[in-house]
Amino acid sequence: MALTTMKKWASAASATVMLAGLLSACGSNDNGKSAASESPAPSGGASASAAAGSNPADLKGTVKIWDWDETFQKGMIPEFNKKYPNIKVEVTVVNPNDYLQKLQSGIASGSDVPDIILGEMAYRGKLFDLDVLDNLEAAPYDFDRGELLDYLPPLLSNPKGELVGVDQAIAPAGLAFRRDLAKEYLGTDDPAELEKLLSDWDSFIEKGKEVKDKSGGKVLMFPGLGDAFLVLRGQNADSYINGTEINLTGKMQKPVETLFKMRDAGILGKNELWTPAWASSMAKGEFLFYPMAPWGPKWHISANDTEGSGRWGLVKAPEGSFTRGGTSVSIYKDSKVKEAAWAYIQFAYLSDDGGLFNFKTFGNMPGVKSFYENNPQVLTEKGAYDDFFGGQNLAKYFMDTIVPGVKGEPQTKYDSIVDGVFNSLYPLWTKDTSIDSGAALKKFVTEVQNKANDATVK
């Protein structure tokens, strides 16, 4: 999900406790020993799905996965073992902030590398650039990227164009909004009416000024510049990195200019993402909108506004869809249990059984087209967090209204640098209103160039 970056997720106030449990170690990993003795490396030719499908009980091995969502794995593994009783899945819980460094250390030392590797959006480009992930369209997997929702392949491909991951759960995003505040200050909490009212960013800014005036400055549109920029940046999914050339100005000029229009209109708060003030604002009702993907109801909204069931809604962002966060799921190219690892990925993230369990339990939405074709009821029946959102059918709204407008942006090793630079700069832009968009963009380019010294940034 995310982050972006996603899944720093749970709140700072409640998330401190939540993450302490979620991100504590739950096991060890010794990929270089037991995995090699328990299942031979797959031979070329037949796909893993075909091999596994003949008799799932014949497939054996110990698969090691690193994840930060222990709750998901503890729920999914028993479901998986109903079909594959002789595959053991061992989970090590790793903080997403430490994931890539820990992985690189394991690769360098030749040990402690999982068979299944997760790529959170904050570091996904760097992970893909390491060239340590198997091409899932080659043997023994033979997966067809055409099975994925159309926007996903660019987000799951390495610099060579190889599909090296599938989606843990899709992350198309809109805006979560406080229904009570929308009704009081915008006159409606109906998503369809809000779409018309906030059809573009100019309308959003003007309505934001009205909300600020009506509330005496107590209610604003976004918690801070960070939230607003997640949307604005994400709506421009055009590739801006060509090899070692980074066209940052072409990519960021319009989003930065719109961001500063919002700031100067006084409709943004002064909160930084993931801080205690940012988290607690959801329950306090200080801001109308928060960027949200399908992972958000669990990790974002309900975690921070625990008593807020029924007072939230979801609406498409002005001027289009975007993605927020997201996690890829891949197989280590030197894994000794590739068929078993692929069996788990197929079940947990691509199959109807795994997808239904994931959706009903956590509200996560799979990234394969067949899931929605085979299970149309997921777009009509109540989802895990629909009641929290005033009974709105979140899955249907995401699929029908938001997904069609999403474009996947290829990920490179430079994207995390760009995001890191923005995160270091926007607190200053919040405090020092003498900085205009032109000066901000110039500083943005300079700092990215300093961090990406092997690239040419303009």
Side-chain angles (χ1 to χ4, degrees):
M1 226 176 358
L3 264 284
T4 86
T5 222
M6 185 179 144
K7 295 180 182 175
K8 290 173 190 167
W9 309 266
S11 60
S14 71
T16 301
V17 176
M18 193 173 181
L19 287 177
L22 178 65
L23 300 174
S24 60
C26 73
S28 60
N29 188 294
D30 188 11
N31 194 69
K33 297 181 181 180
S34 60
S37 63
E38 292 183 55
S39 179
S43 59
S47 70
S49 57
S54 57
N55 187 355
D58 290 342
L59 196 54
K60 301 176 181 180
T62 297
V63 175
K64 299 177 186 294
I65 181 171
W66 291 356
D67 198 345
W68 42 84
D69 190 349
E70 185 179 10
T71 302
F72 170 83
Q73 298 297 346
K74 282 187 173 181
M76 185 61 72
I77 291 169
E79 297 297 314
F80 170 73
N81 284 143
K82 292 176 183 178
K83 183 173 182 180
Y84 296 95
N86 295 315
I87 297 177
K88 181 180 180 182
V89 182
E90 294 184 354
V91 182
T92 297
V93 179
V94 179
N95 188 310
N97 299 322
D98 303 327
Y99 199 103
L100 187 60
Q101 182 177 355
K102 181 177 173 64
L103 181 67
Q104 288 175 300
S105 297
I107 294 170
S109 65
S111 62
D112 198 30
V113 179
D115 303 291
I116 296 177
I117 297 173
L118 271 56
E120 203 274 324
M121 192 61 76
Y123 62 80
R124 186 184 300 187
K126 287 184 176 180
L127 170 63
F128 288 0
D129 193 66
L130 293 176
D131 196 24
V132 298
L133 307 176
D134 255 358
N135 179 1
L136 299 182
E137 292 185 293
Y141 319 105
D142 298 320
F143 183 70
D144 179 3
R145 68 176 63 200
E147 296 182 33
L148 299 172
L149 296 177
D150 292 341
Y151 80 89
L152 285 174
L155 292 167
L156 298 166
S157 299
N158 66 14
K160 294 184 286 187
E162 298 170 340
L163 190 80
V164 294
V166 300
D167 228 32
Q168 182 188 62
I170 60 174
L175 303 180
F177 68 91
R178 284 279 301 241
R179 288 183 178 273
D180 52 343
L181 300 180
K183 199 158 190 177
E184 181 174 359
Y185 296 111
L186 295 176
T188 181
D189 66 350
D190 179 7
E193 292 301 314
L194 288 173
E195 286 178 35
K196 298 175 184 177
L197 197 64
L198 306 171
S199 60
D200 55 42
W201 290 115
D202 287 339
S203 301
F204 186 89
I205 291 171
E206 290 307 310
K207 286 298 177 182
K209 292 177 182 177
E210 293 179 17
V211 170
K212 180 183 177 183
D213 290 342
K214 289 178 182 178
S215 67
K218 294 181 180 179
V219 178
L220 303 177
M221 298 298 264
F222 281 125
L225 276 72
D227 293 88
F229 194 71
L230 283 173
V231 188
L232 296 168
R233 181 200 192 287
Q235 287 178 327
N236 179 3
D238 295 337
S239 178
Y240 67 111
I241 298 172
N242 182 14
T244 58
E245 295 181 0
I246 304 175
N247 184 9
L248 192 67
T249 300
K251 174 77 169 182
M252 299 298 183
Q253 184 167 1
K254 183 180 178 182
V256 169
E257 288 176 350
T258 304
L259 180 70
F260 275 69
K261 286 180 183 178
M262 292 183 185
R263 185 202 68 177
D264 296 341
I267 67 170
L268 304 179
K270 300 184 182 300
N271 294 307
E272 296 178 28
L273 291 164
W274 320 119
T275 60
W278 171 86
S280 63
S281 71
M282 297 180 198
K284 292 179 180 178
E286 298 173 332
F287 305 102
L288 258 164
F289 298 102
Y290 297 80
M292 190 189 78
W295 56 264
K298 173 188 175 183
W299 291 102
H300 191 177
I301 304 300
S302 65
N304 292 316
D305 185 16
T306 56
E307 303 299 320
S309 182
R311 67 182 175 200
W312 289 89
L314 171 66
V315 66
K316 182 176 67 175
E319 299 189 18
S321 306
F322 60 105
T323 60
R324 183 175 190 192
T327 301
S328 61
V329 186
S330 305
I331 295 179
Y332 181 45
K333 68 178 184 180
D334 290 334
S335 169
K336 306 302 182 189
V337 288
K338 292 184 179 183
E339 289 190 353
W342 182 234
Y344 185 68
I345 288 176
Q346 282 190 308
F347 181 88
Y349 307 108
L350 301 174
S351 75
D352 286 357
D353 289 343
L356 285 171
F357 177 82
N358 198 354
F359 177 76
K360 292 178 179 179
T361 308
F362 306 112
N364 293 333
M365 300 173 64
V368 283
K369 298 172 184 175
S370 61
F371 177 78
Y372 303 97
E373 296 167 355
N374 298 337
N375 302 281
Q377 74 277 8
V378 303
L379 302 184
T380 57
E381 296 178 357
K382 185 170 66 175
Y385 288 90
D386 287 1
D387 284 344
F388 206 91
F389 279 70
Q392 183 179 3
N393 187 319
L394 296 178
K396 183 174 178 59
Y397 192 87
F398 273 118
M399 288 299 296
D400 290 353
T401 306
I402 295 178
V403 166
V406 176
K407 295 180 180 179
E409 180 179 340
Q411 299 298 296
T412 78
K413 64 181 181 180
Y414 298 114
D415 287 287
S416 60
I417 293 176
V418 171
D419 292 342
V421 168
F422 172 81
N423 289 333
S424 71
L425 290 176
Y426 84 82
L428 177 61
W429 301 343
T430 301
K431 297 172 185 176
D432 188 352
T433 56
S434 69
I435 301 174
D436 62 18
S437 62
L441 185 59
K442 184 176 180 180
K443 181 68 171 177
F444 201 172
V445 170
T446 299
E447 290 301 312
V448 170
Q449 181 67 80
N450 290 340
K451 299 286 186 182
N453 50 33
D454 63 331
T456 300
V457 185
K458 64 178 183 178

